[in-house]
Amino acid sequence: MGLKRTKLLGIQSVTGIATVGILTVGTTQTAGGVGIASTTYLRGVVMHNTGLGTATSSLYIYPAAEAATGVGKTAYRLTRVDLNANETFFYEMNYPLVLVNQEKIVVEVTAPALVVGGAGIGSAINYQILGDTDIV
């Protein structure tokens, strides 16, 4: 199989405090409906806080056996960053991370530390996943 030049996902918006699986390899339909994301090569993630206050955004890669429910598991976290209102953060890897066989990209929005301030509630963070995929 060759790589298909396509957008992995459209912009995914997470509102309020939540942990959400936004892409599962072998299950998730790619943007534009060209097929199911098979082997996926994650190059980066853009996070943008469109909310009114500061929130903490985290990015995780979950193995196939783990469900993306409840609070994100620290062992699978790649990055965690406090985003002020209208702030953008770009997470980029030097070499693509290869995801296969039901592995998941999971994002989480939480309240920031008391030192930072903000409640996280009312936050809306947009995520754009950058990478390539084989199409099944």
Side-chain angles (χ1 to χ4, degrees):
M1 269 189 278
L3 292 177
K4 177 72 174 171
R5 173 164 259 166
T6 186
K7 186 187 261 188
L8 284 176
L9 291 173
I11 294 174
Q12 303 293 303
S13 186
V14 177
T15 302
I17 294 175
T19 302
V20 180
I22 59 175
L23 185 137
T24 300
V25 175
T27 302
T28 303
Q29 183 79 23
T30 59
V34 295
I36 302 291
S38 179
T39 301
T40 299
Y41 306 90
L42 177 65
R43 291 188 324 228
V45 178
V46 178
M47 306 173 188
H48 177 73
N49 184 355
T50 62
L52 300 174
T54 301
T56 299
S57 176
S58 299
L59 173 68
Y60 301 84
I61 301 297
Y62 274 44
E66 292 286 338
T69 58
V71 178
K73 295 187 178 180
T74 307
Y76 306 134
R77 184 169 53 214
L78 294 180
T79 189
R80 177 180 175 157
V81 63
D82 292 323
L83 293 172
N84 294 320
N86 295 315
E87 187 174 15
T88 301
F89 175 76
F90 182 53
Y91 180 77
E92 181 179 28
M93 291 171 266
N94 290 334
Y95 189 78
L97 180 65
V98 180
L99 303 173
V100 296
N101 191 28
Q102 299 296 308
E103 291 179 316
K104 300 163 195 68
I105 298 173
V106 177
V107 295
E108 179 180 54
V109 178
T110 58
L114 292 176
V115 176
V116 176
I121 298 173
S123 299
I125 298 184
N126 291 338
Y127 296 90
Q128 179 66 63
I129 305 299
L130 306 173
D132 300 303
T133 190
D134 288 332
I135 301 295
V136 197

